[in-house]
């Protein structure tokens, strides 16, 4: 009965899929359709938005206006230039975003991940789902009686159950519907071959070659773009991708003819560089801010060496015998016109000299009058910033500006420009050079000279450089000037960190032969510190080893994990002085100690019982610790595998033919079975303690020890040893065997021990709930414990679910799906052959329609969930004796549902109006069919049958003179099924056998899920 019911669901799904396949046609190319639907202006606007343009004025060009700055703003706050107005969004790491969401542009030296998925594998995994994922049926319209009948059947089933065809059944079963709800969105299934089209299968050699190429591409992950932004994949031409987004780069790779057989995905990996690759040139971040305007500075003291020139204003205050105030502007000839004194030549003089000159003239010519001279408004001067500046050109700055002011105005120095040889030229001659390292490292501004009109600041290319990284204060790339040795390079890098290992420095150098050379540098030795440097050298200072000497580490399920100072004679109880150090549910009986044994630093493990250690401090039960020991405290409620795995791996790696792996295992009825390190002089009781001790179900009489030994290096011998656990429990040392490598201890369960199972009873019983069951208990006993049925109960419609049956039905579904898949392959060849014989012939269309139905059926079949219903007579069970012929032995996980009384008779299938009717005594099967309008022309009158509420199927044969339909009595809750004539639908090899039981499982399936 169960196998028949299983088949019915499959055919039901088949008919539903056939309905959904009707009148679908292959869609056009979506990109071409989009192009055709857009006007010229719309297409241009769309193209501008995709390419990052602005549309409208996107083609106009304007000159960029250079604003001289007043304050320094971060680069991220600068106003975008006209060129980049369409690129306003930036990612967290400063990348340009041209789309919604974070899909940034790729750039040189980026790291990307390439994923290749075989086209065939992806399409097969999704059931060639182009029709479900893209609403496309490549086979064209499915016409003919079969498709029409299937559509009608499905619509009638929908009207009866209220479920929308396949979608309704999927909602009940939890499976994905046929509209692509479970489709793989990571691949474009439109590239899959449409159903019905015959594709030449690949040969084994082609498949092997394709898979080998795929593995070669994947094994090279991750890939790094070169400095030109070009992606280089093995066996493929170079592909420039810089400036594209990750999505665009994926499409670009997918268009490569060599990758037509794959779905390609490119992912940007936000990898933070480390080591030498993370180094940046030192000092250039000084110019990371960009000034926005530059107003004349008027609120600072004018230095006495300021050179007075045309445009400057002198404020003169006379007091004494004559009182007056003048603002005198220096003329172009360098003179000021002083009332009552006449012109005075001050141009080219320092401010201090000009002030003394004015004071001297006033003292001589205006007797009894004193004068005070200050600077008023300062002049603006024009200077040039040339060379490797970010924005070289001519700039107007304040007369008080210095070389650094002009550098900020010009945006700073490029990374290819020198910071240590910035030249100030006046009238073609070199005035001074500015070393910005003096400013950055020592705060020395003595070289920052004041500018004069017409001055030129020239930034030459960068000089020799050296990279200093590792355990230094400022890892960076430094430009060399007067520094020539390794020690001087360390000094400009800020010196060594406290954890630097100065004896193990390494100097990497590029030789004239274009080869790399590595030299050891011991910075504690003067000779090594005086090692001469060359351009491009890389100096690495490694840190010291992270190991802690003279310390003990405590970790695991304790309140205060950490490191403790070691002292001679230190024991376990010095670290764990009481049980209060342990968290609740910690295992105090197995404290594992990982020990490093010199001189080879091999790993050894010992353990202790904290209870015995605290009871006998200073004894052998309280083990003495050694430097670098690590103590582990385990949690009884958590797995120990995560902690033990690295220790077991170390023991496996250090094993050799003379010293085998120091591992033993325990299995069976212990709280923490698994592999454990073999300790020196470890006994069976120690291994039981390591396994968390025995469970309640453990047999304490005997255990079994399996021992493996290699005999003369030729063969491995297995020996079974009986272990007397009872004797060990009573303290018999002889029974507590000494363990050897590879020993396996198995703790057996107590005979007839079984975990108590449960059964769920729901619905119309007096005491519904979950009941524990014992071995051999029957359903009769459970019903008595549940108080029997209520007055509203409908025992005849009881549903009984068993998990074991679900597993069996699942296996049958998988078997049938595999058979259907092979039948579809044969039907595909038939469809191609039929189309070749006649383009208009019905044979080709029929086979194509059957193929479309079968392909969608296969997808639904893979997702179908089994029911697991067991048909029983629950009334006979309850009224009979316990253990009688109708009684059922219950199992763990069983579910019993007793529904309420029903009065409906359901008519389903090929009738004019599928519906439900109120039960009337005396009416026959044909009477109820007549009340639903009678059977349709597509009905199979020979196979009309009745599905009882308890799941039984009663076949009544066709009505007529020789066999009367009255022979089948109709009861409340019955369903009368009028099946479809299978000759009216496209035939599959399994079709006719399955259609005979299509509706009974569908009804049972719906009832089970509605009731539960």
């Amino acid at each position: 009965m169960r196998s028949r019911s299983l088949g019915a669901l499959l055919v039901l799904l088949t008919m539903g899929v056939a309905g959904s396949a009707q009148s679908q046609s292959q869609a056009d190319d979506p990109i071409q359709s989009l192009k055709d639907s857009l006007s010229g202006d719309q297409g241009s606007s769309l193209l501008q938005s995709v390419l990052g343009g602005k549309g409208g004025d996107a083609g106009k060009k304007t000159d960029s206006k250079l604003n001289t700055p007043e304050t320094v703003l971060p680069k991220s706050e600068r106003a975008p230039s006209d060129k980049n107005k369409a690129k306003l969004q930036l990612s967290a790491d400063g990348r340009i975003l041209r789309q919604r969401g974070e899909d940034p542009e790729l750039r040189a030296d980026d790291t990307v991940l390439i994923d290749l998925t075989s086209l065939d594998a992806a399409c097969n995994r999704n059931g060639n789902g182009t029709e479900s994922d893209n609403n496309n049926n490549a086979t064209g319209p499915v016409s003919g009686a079969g498709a029409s009948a299937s559509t009608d059947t499905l619509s009638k089933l929908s009207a009866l159950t209220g479920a929308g065809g396949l979608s309704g059944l999927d909602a009940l079963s939890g499976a994905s519907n046929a509209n692509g709800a479970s489709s793989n969105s990571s691949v474009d299934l439109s590239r899959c071959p449409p159903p019905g089209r015959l594709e030449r299968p690949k040969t084994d050699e082609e498949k092997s070659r394709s898979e080998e190429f795929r593995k070669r591409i994947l094994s090279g992950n991750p890939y790094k773009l070169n400095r030109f932004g070009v992606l280089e994949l093995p066996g493929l031409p170079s592909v420039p991708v810089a400036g594209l987004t990750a999505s665009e780069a994926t499409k670009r790779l997918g268009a490569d003819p060599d990758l037509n057989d794959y779905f390609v995905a490119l992912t940007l990996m936000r990898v933070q560089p480390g080591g030498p690759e993370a180094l940046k040139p030192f000092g250039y971040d000084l110019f990371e801010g960009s000034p926005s305007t530059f107003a004349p500075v008027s609120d600072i003291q004018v230095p006495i060496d300021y050179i007075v020139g045309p445009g400057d204003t002198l404020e003169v205050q006379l007091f004494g015998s004559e009182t007056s105030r003048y603002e005198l502007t220096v003329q172009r000839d360098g003179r000021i016109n002083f009332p009552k004194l006449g012109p005075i030549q001050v141009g080219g003089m320092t401010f201090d000299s000009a002030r003394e000159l004015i004071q001297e003239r006033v003292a001589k010519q205006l007797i009894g009058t004193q004068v005070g001279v200050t600077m008023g408004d300062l002049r603006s001067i024009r200077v040039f910033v040339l060379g490797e500046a970010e924005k070289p050109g001519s700039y107007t700055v304040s007369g008080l500006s210095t070389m650094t002011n002009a550098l900020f105005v010009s945006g700073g120095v490029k990374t290819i420009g020198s910071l240590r040889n910035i030249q100030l030229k006046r009238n073609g001659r070199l005035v001074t050079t500015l070393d910005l390292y003096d400013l950055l490292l020592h705060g020395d501004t003595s070289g920052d000279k004041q500018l004069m009109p017409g001055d030129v600041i020239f930034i030459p290319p960068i000089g020799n450089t050296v990279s200093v990284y590792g355990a230094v204060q400022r890892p960076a790339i430094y430009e060399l000037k007067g520094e020539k040795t390794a020690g001087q390079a360390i000094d400009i890098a800020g010196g060594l960190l406290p954890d630097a290992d100065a004896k193990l420095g390494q100097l990497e150098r590029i030789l004239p032969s274009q080869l790399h050379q590595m030299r050891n540098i011991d910075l504690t030795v003067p000779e090594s510190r005086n090692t001469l440097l060359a351009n491009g050298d890389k100096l690495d200072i490694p840190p010291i080893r992270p190991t802690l000497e003279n310390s003990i580490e405590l970790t695991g399920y304790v309140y205060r994990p950490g490191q403790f100072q070691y002292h001679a004679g230190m024991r376990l109880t010095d670290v764990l002085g009481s049980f209060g150090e342990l968290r609740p549910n910690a295992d105090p009986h197995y404290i594992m100690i990982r020990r490093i044994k010199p001189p080879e630093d091999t790993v050894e493990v010992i353990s202790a019982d904290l209870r015995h250690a605290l009871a006998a401090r200073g004894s052998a039960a309280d083990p003495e610790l050694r430097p670098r020991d690590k103590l582990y405290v385990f949690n009884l409620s958590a797995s120990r595998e995560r902690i033990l795995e690295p220790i077991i791996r170390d023991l496996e790696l250090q094993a050799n033919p003379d010293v085998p792996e120091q591992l033993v295992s325990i299995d069976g009825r212990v709280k923490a079975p698994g592999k454990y390190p073999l300790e020196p002089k470890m006994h069976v009781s120690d291994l039981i303690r390591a396994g968390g001790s025995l469970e309640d179900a453990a047999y304490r009489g005997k255990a079994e020890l399996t021992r493996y030994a290699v005999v003369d290096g030729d063969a491995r011998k297995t020996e079974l040893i009986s272990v007397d656990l009872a004797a060990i429990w009573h303290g018999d040392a002889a029974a507590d065997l000494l363990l050897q490598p590879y020993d396996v201890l198995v703790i057996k369960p107590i005979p007839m021990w079984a975990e108590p199972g449960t059964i769920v009873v729901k619905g119309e019983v007096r005491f519904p709930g979950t009941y524990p069951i014992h071995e051999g208990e029957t359903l009769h006993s459970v019903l008595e414990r549940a108080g029997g049925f209520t007055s509203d109960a409908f025992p005849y419609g009881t549903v009984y679910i068993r998990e074991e049956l679900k597993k069996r039905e699942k296996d049958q579904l998988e078997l049938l799906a595999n058979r259907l898949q092979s039948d579809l392959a044969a039907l595909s060849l038939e469809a191609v052959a039929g189309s070749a014989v006649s383009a208009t012939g019905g044979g080709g269309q029929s086979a194509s329609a059957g193929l479309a139905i079968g392909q969608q059926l296969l997808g639904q079949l893979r997702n179908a969930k089994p029911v697991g219903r067991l048909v029983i007579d629950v009334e006979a069970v309850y009224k009979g004796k316990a253990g009688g012929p109708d009684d059922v032995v219950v199992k763990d996980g069983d579910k019993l549902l007793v529904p309420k009384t029903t009065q409906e008779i359901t008519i389903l299938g090929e009738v004019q109006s599928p519906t439900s009717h109120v039960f009337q005594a005396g009416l026959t099967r044909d009477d109820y069919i007549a009340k639903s309008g009678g059977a349709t022309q597509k009905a199979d009158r020979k196979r009309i049958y009745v599905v009882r509420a308890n799941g039984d199927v009663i076949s009544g044969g066709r009505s007529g003179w020789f066999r009367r339909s009255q022979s089948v009595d109709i009861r409340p809750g019955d369903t009368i099924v009028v099946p479809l004539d299978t000759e009216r639908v496209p035939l599959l090899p399994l079709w006719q056998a399955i259609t005979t039981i299509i509706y009974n499982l569908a009804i049972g399936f719906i009832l089970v899920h509605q009731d539960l």
Side-chain angles (χ1 to χ4, degrees):
M1 178 63 67
R2 288 190 298 271
S3 60
R4 294 183 60 202
S5 300
L6 174 66
L9 174 62
L10 305 178
V11 180
L12 172 64
L13 296 177
T14 305
M15 288 190 169
V17 173
S20 66
Q22 185 180 16
S23 302
Q24 293 184 0
S25 59
Q26 183 177 5
D28 296 330
D29 180 24
I31 297 179
Q32 186 60 44
S33 301
L34 177 62
K35 291 181 179 178
D36 296 340
S37 64
L38 295 177
S39 64
D41 293 340
Q42 290 174 328
S44 175
S45 176
L46 177 62
L47 184 61
Q48 289 287 347
S49 64
V50 170
L51 296 179
K54 232 183 133 175
D57 298 334
K60 297 182 180 180
K61 296 183 178 179
T62 60
D63 294 333
S64 60
K65 180 180 179 181
L66 181 63
N67 295 323
T68 53
E70 173 186 9
T71 56
V72 177
L73 299 176
K75 281 187 177 180
S76 60
E77 298 181 15
R78 300 183 200 172
S81 63
D82 291 342
K83 180 179 179 181
N84 294 322
K85 280 185 178 179
K87 304 178 180 181
L88 298 179
Q89 293 182 323
L90 296 178
S91 65
D93 54 353
R95 298 173 182 269
I96 296 174
L97 299 177
R98 294 193 280 108
Q99 301 181 9
R100 259 185 111 175
E102 191 166 6
D103 192 10
E105 291 185 352
L106 302 174
R107 56 193 182 191
D109 298 324
D110 273 347
T111 301
V112 297
L113 192 70
I114 302 296
D115 183 34
L116 289 186
T117 303
S118 170
L119 188 67
D120 295 337
C123 293
N124 291 336
R125 184 166 60 246
N126 289 275
N128 284 334
T130 44
E131 71 277 4
S132 62
D133 292 289
N134 304 300
N135 293 325
N136 252 347
N137 241 344
T139 57
V142 180
S143 59
S148 173
S150 301
T151 305
D152 293 342
T153 302
L154 185 62
S155 63
K156 293 171 184 176
L157 177 62
S158 303
L160 174 65
T161 62
L166 285 176
S167 300
L169 288 177
D170 292 334
L172 292 173
S173 65
S176 301
N177 59 44
N179 294 325
S182 61
S183 63
N184 184 0
S185 60
S186 62
V187 295
D188 180 12
L189 294 180
S190 63
R191 293 180 56 194
C192 294
R197 190 175 76 189
L198 182 62
E199 296 287 329
R200 183 184 70 84
K202 291 184 178 179
T203 63
D204 292 340
E205 182 180 356
E206 289 174 334
K207 292 180 179 178
S208 176
R209 227 178 11 248
S210 175
E211 182 62 19
E212 181 181 351
F213 173 77
R214 175 179 169 273
K215 290 182 177 179
R216 185 165 69 250
I217 296 294
L218 296 182
S219 63
N221 276 317
Y223 291 91
K224 186 174 182 179
L225 308 186
N226 63 20
R227 61 194 182 100
F228 302 107
V230 174
L231 174 63
E232 297 175 344
L233 299 177
L236 295 176
S238 299
V239 182
V241 294
L244 301 178
T245 66
S247 301
E248 292 169 342
T250 296
K251 294 179 181 179
R252 168 63 184 86
L253 293 174
D256 194 299
D258 294 325
L259 298 176
N260 279 343
D261 293 337
Y262 307 92
F263 289 112
V264 187
L266 181 145
T267 305
L268 172 63
M269 308 295 290
R270 306 297 182 86
V271 179
Q272 294 292 336
E277 295 183 354
L279 295 179
K280 295 182 178 179
F282 174 73
Y284 293 88
D285 53 356
L286 176 66
F287 305 104
E288 283 295 324
S290 175
S292 57
T293 61
F294 197 88
V297 181
S298 57
D299 55 356
I300 63 174
Q301 182 178 351
V302 178
I304 60 176
D305 59 349
Y306 173 75
I307 305 298
V308 179
D312 286 338
T313 299
L314 299 178
E315 294 184 356
V316 180
Q317 178 74 39
L318 298 178
F319 56 92
S321 60
E322 183 175 339
T323 302
S324 58
R325 183 177 180 276
Y326 302 103
E327 290 185 358
L328 307 177
T329 301
V330 181
Q331 305 299 318
R332 293 188 177 183
D333 57 0
R335 296 182 299 175
I336 57 173
N337 296 318
F338 202 121
K340 300 182 182 180
L341 296 183
I344 302 175
Q345 183 70 36
V346 295
M349 301 175 65
T350 64
F351 169 65
D352 190 51
S353 300
R355 181 173 55 186
E356 291 179 355
L357 176 59
I358 294 174
Q359 290 175 347
E360 182 181 345
R361 291 284 297 273
V362 168
K364 289 182 179 180
Q365 296 182 246
L366 299 176
I367 305 300
T369 301
Q370 298 182 11
V371 63
V373 181
T374 61
M375 290 295 299
D377 293 338
L378 303 180
R379 69 185 185 278
S380 297
I381 61 175
R382 179 170 292 274
V383 296
F384 296 90
V385 183
L386 305 174
E388 302 302 333
E390 287 288 348
K391 296 178 181 179
S394 173
Y395 294 90
T396 300
V397 297
S398 167
L400 283 178
S401 297
T402 62
M403 297 175 66
T404 55
N405 297 137
L407 290 176
F408 274 108
V409 172
S410 63
V413 182
K414 294 180 180 177
T415 54
I416 62 172
S418 173
L419 294 184
R420 310 205 63 180
N421 190 29
I422 301 175
Q423 301 172 6
L424 175 61
K425 296 185 177 182
R426 187 172 296 156
N427 299 324
R429 291 186 296 180
L430 179 64
V431 175
T432 186
T433 59
L434 173 63
D435 186 351
L436 284 178
Y437 278 28
D438 291 338
L439 175 63
L440 296 171
L441 299 178
H442 310 295
D444 183 5
T445 60
S446 60
D448 190 14
K449 299 299 182 182
Q450 183 179 336
L451 299 177
M452 298 293 291
D455 280 355
V456 175
I457 298 175
F458 179 73
I459 306 172
I462 193 171
N464 293 345
T465 61
V466 61
S467 300
V468 185
Y469 60 98
V472 294
Q473 298 287 354
R474 285 189 302 269
I477 302 173
Y478 292 93
E479 182 182 359
L480 301 178
K481 187 176 182 181
E483 300 81 13
K484 297 181 180 180
T485 65
Q488 292 173 329
I490 295 296
D491 291 339
I492 63 174
L496 302 178
L497 293 175
D499 63 343
D501 194 340
K503 294 183 178 181
L504 298 180
Q506 291 184 322
L507 181 66
E508 181 182 348
R509 175 169 295 173
I510 301 177
L511 300 175
S513 59
Q514 302 301 313
L515 297 177
H516 290 263
Q517 181 190 58
M518 189 69 70
R519 298 179 59 182
N520 294 329
I521 300 292
D522 185 356
L523 295 176
T524 62
V525 178
E527 294 181 1
S528 295
R529 288 185 63 88
N530 294 330
T531 300
L532 296 178
L533 300 175
N535 187 28
D537 281 355
K538 297 179 180 179
L539 182 57
D540 178 20
I541 310 299
I544 60 176
R545 291 182 301 175
T547 57
L548 290 174
E549 298 296 335
N550 295 323
S551 64
I552 301 295
E553 183 178 357
L554 175 64
T555 185
Y557 213 56
V558 293
Y559 282 112
R560 294 181 291 187
Q563 285 80 30
F564 299 84
Q565 180 182 354
Y566 172 79
H567 58 81
M570 190 174 186
R571 292 184 177 273
L572 173 64
T573 53
D574 294 328
V575 179
L576 293 172
S578 68
F579 290 108
E581 299 290 341
L582 308 182
R583 291 179 176 271
N585 295 326
D587 187 356
H589 303 294
Y590 185 61
I591 309 298
M592 187 178 69
I593 304 172
R594 180 182 182 272
R595 176 164 294 169
I596 303 297
K597 294 176 59 178
E600 297 181 357
D601 285 352
T602 57
V603 176
E604 182 184 69
V605 175
I606 64 173
S607 70
D609 188 332
L610 184 60
R611 177 173 299 176
H612 294 164
L614 292 174
R617 295 174 182 264
S619 66
D622 185 14
E624 186 175 348
L625 303 179
R626 297 180 184 176
R628 297 171 60 186
D629 277 357
K630 189 171 184 179
L631 282 60
Y632 296 88
V633 179
F634 294 96
N635 182 359
L636 285 172
S637 60
S639 173
R640 305 183 179 187
E641 183 178 358
R642 181 181 59 84
I643 298 176
L644 291 172
E645 183 180 1
I647 300 175
I648 292 175
R649 185 171 60 249
D650 291 339
L651 294 174
E652 291 174 344
L653 292 176
Q654 70 187 28
N656 56 64
D658 297 328
V659 182
E661 295 178 3
Q662 301 298 299
L663 297 173
V664 290
S665 301
I666 185 170
D667 202 354
R669 292 297 186 168
V670 290
K671 295 178 182 178
K675 280 187 177 182
Y676 287 89
L678 175 63
E679 306 169 22
K681 299 181 181 180
M682 187 177 189
H683 294 81
V684 169
S685 59
D686 297 323
L687 182 55
I688 294 175
R689 180 168 51 83
S693 75
L694 302 179
E695 292 182 345
D696 293 340
Y699 178 56
R700 289 167 172 77
K702 297 287 184 180
E704 184 178 272
L705 181 67
T706 304
R707 176 161 293 171
Y708 301 94
V710 178
V711 181
D712 300 328
D714 295 330
R716 189 180 186 184
K717 180 182 177 181
T718 302
E719 181 182 4
L720 297 179
I721 303 174
S722 178
V723 179
D724 191 346
L725 293 181
I728 296 176
W729 187 261
H730 290 93
D732 187 354
D736 197 4
L737 302 179
L738 190 67
L739 298 179
Q740 298 179 11
Y742 306 114
D743 279 357
V744 178
L745 180 64
V746 177
I747 306 299
K748 301 176 182 179
I750 296 176
M752 303 299 294
W753 179 280
E755 296 293 337
T758 59
I759 181 174
V760 177
V761 182
K762 294 183 177 181
E764 296 303 316
V765 293
R766 294 187 63 190
F767 306 109
T770 300
Y771 289 86
I773 58 176
H774 57 79
E775 186 71 22
E777 185 172 7
T778 64
L779 183 59
H780 177 87
S781 172
V782 174
L783 287 173
E784 286 185 339
R785 293 164 62 188
F789 305 114
T790 66
S791 58
D792 293 333
F794 182 46
Y796 190 67
T798 298
V799 177
Y800 194 85
I801 303 297
R802 177 160 288 175
E803 293 297 325
E804 179 181 314
L805 298 181
K806 285 187 179 181
K807 297 178 182 178
R808 191 179 305 172
E809 290 175 6
K810 181 179 180 181
D811 295 337
Q812 294 174 350
L813 283 170
E814 183 65 27
L815 177 62
L816 191 57
N818 294 335
R819 290 181 57 190
L820 181 60
Q821 188 170 10
S822 62
D823 292 339
L824 286 175
L827 193 61
S828 176
L829 296 176
E830 180 184 342
V832 174
S835 299
V837 172
S838 175
T840 60
Q845 285 186 345
S846 177
S848 297
L851 179 61
I853 296 170
Q855 285 172 332
Q856 296 189 38
L857 169 64
L858 181 61
Q860 291 293 320
L861 191 57
R862 296 290 188 189
N863 293 324
K865 291 188 177 182
V867 178
R869 182 180 184 183
L870 178 64
V871 177
I872 61 172
D873 187 349
V874 72
E875 284 187 297
V877 170
Y878 185 60
K879 293 178 180 178
K881 296 181 179 180
D886 294 318
D887 206 355
V888 178
V889 177
V890 295
K891 297 183 179 181
D892 182 32
D894 286 356
K895 298 177 182 178
L896 179 71
L897 177 65
V898 181
K900 290 186 177 182
T901 302
T902 181
Q903 295 179 319
E904 294 83 12
I905 301 296
T906 301
I907 314 299
L908 180 65
E910 292 300 323
V911 292
Q912 300 295 338
S913 177
T915 186
S916 296
H917 303 278
V918 177
F919 171 76
Q920 298 180 24
L923 294 185
T924 64
R925 182 193 68 187
D926 288 351
D927 293 334
Y928 285 107
I929 294 176
K931 288 171 70 69
S932 291
T936 66
Q937 294 181 353
K938 297 185 287 293
D940 189 347
R941 302 174 187 269
K942 299 178 183 179
R943 296 186 177 89
I944 299 176
Y945 56 91
V946 177
V947 181
R948 298 293 191 196
N950 67 346
D952 285 337
V953 178
I954 308 299
S955 176
R958 67 173 298 173
S959 60
W961 290 356
F962 301 101
R963 299 192 63 182
R964 299 183 57 83
S965 62
Q966 286 81 355
S967 61
V968 180
D969 61 316
I970 303 300
R971 305 174 185 175
D974 284 355
T975 299
I976 301 173
V977 179
V978 182
L980 176 70
D981 188 352
T982 58
E983 296 179 358
R984 297 179 179 272
V985 297
L987 293 180
L988 286 171
L990 298 176
W991 188 275
Q992 191 167 6
I994 297 177
T995 52
T996 58
I997 54 173
I998 172 177
Y999 289 104
N1000 56 336
L1001 183 58
I1003 295 168
F1005 184 84
I1006 294 173
L1007 286 175
V1008 167
H1009 285 78
Q1010 285 177 342
D1011 293 337
L1012 293 180

